[in-house]
Amino acid sequence: MSTPPSLHYFYSMGRAHVFRWDGISNSSWKRVYSDDSSCPLQLDIPKDTLFVAEVLPELKGEGKGQRKMYALHIIDILFLYGEDWRKHSYNVRLETAKMFVSSITRTSRTRLSPIRVKQLYRIEEIPALLSNHLNFRLVKGCGSEPRLCYAADFHNHANCCHTFAGLHFVPYICKPWTMAYSQSQRQKYFYNIESKQSTYKSPGSAFSNSTYCMKNKLLLSSKNLSTRDKLVNLTAEMDEWIRSLMPWLH
């Protein structure tokens, strides 16, 4: 199983003994050190914990006083304290990840790298995300041209942002199940394209495990979003595409 270049698997053997792997079959696990220029993190993670995360430089402030710190942003969890979470639904895994991060966060140890959990958005919320949470800022060390940034509101770091690399699309419903909308009942329902079965109750087999999510996840890169006009155009295109998929949003 391979991962996009920005993602890594992180495994802890206890406390600061944390290793990372880029998901490429012929590469090896590497120890995480705070002085490693490619992954400068200082971590303290419980033993037998395995998750997938991005390493992102978070920015606070603007201009010459802007500060940068590297943080882990968890995409998915596999094991926590040795307990297997791979077969649970994606929503449950992320909610569990939030409780896990809250339990291990020590605000008194300021040298530890922050650990976050990715914010989950429904596909119909994407236009609002692009309009309300993205803006162009001057980034220290990146010249005079503003960079597209995602404005976050993390606990104890209300003014943080990080450069926006793109959107991860994670399928939390797996084949042969799909989700549709009933115009008569005005609610979503589940439909099995093989058995032709439909139900308003959530079938346990419909939700994606961690392997399915990683294999079928897509990345919409922000590589070409260099100006505000291009961001506005993408927002409009995404809104039109989503409304064609979900006509009940009109």
Side-chain angles (χ1 to χ4, degrees), residues 127-144:
L129 162 68
L130 297 176
S131 299
N132 301 331
H133 291 277
L134 299 183
N135 54 65
F136 285 88
R137 297 190 183 190
L138 291 175
V139 176
K140 193 174 181 179
C142 293
S144 59

Side-chain angles (χ1 to χ4, degrees), residues 3 6-13 17-23 29-33 36 38-43 45-46 48-56 71-80 100 113 115:
T3 61
S6 60
L7 299 183
H8 288 82
Y9 289 85
F10 287 84
Y11 175 70
S12 175
M13 298 181 68
H17 300 283
V18 181
F19 298 81
R20 63 182 175 93
W21 178 53
D22 58 13
W29 289 85
K30 298 179 181 178
R31 179 78 180 270
V32 175
Y33 292 103
D36 182 353
S38 63
C39 187
L41 297 168
Q42 187 166 337
L43 303 172
I45 297 174
D48 294 331
T49 291
L50 175 65
F51 55 75
V52 183
E54 281 185 308
V55 181
L56 292 175
L72 271 185
H73 288 222
I74 295 178
I75 298 284
D76 204 349
I77 59 171
L78 290 82
F79 291 86
L80 298 179
F100 167 74
S113 301
I115 302 178

Side-chain angles (χ1 to χ4, degrees), residues 195-210:
S195 67
K196 311 302 180 184
Q197 173 191 359
S198 61
T199 175
Y200 290 104
K201 295 183 179 180
S202 303
S205 59
F207 296 106
S208 306
N209 58 32
S210 60

Side-chain angles (χ1 to χ4, degrees), residues 85-98:
W85 287 89
R86 291 174 296 175
K87 293 184 178 180
H88 291 269
S89 71
Y90 189 60
N91 287 351
V92 169
R93 297 199 302 273
L94 280 197
E95 287 302 314
T96 303
K98 290 178 182 177

Side-chain angles (χ1 to χ4, degrees), residues 2 40 60 64 92 96 103 122 125 137 146 166 177 187 198 209:
S2 62
K60 191 169 185 180
K64 294 182 179 180
V92 169
T96 303
S103 69
R122 292 184 177 276
E125 298 173 329
R137 297 190 183 190
W177 289 98
Q187 67 180 90
S198 61
N209 58 32

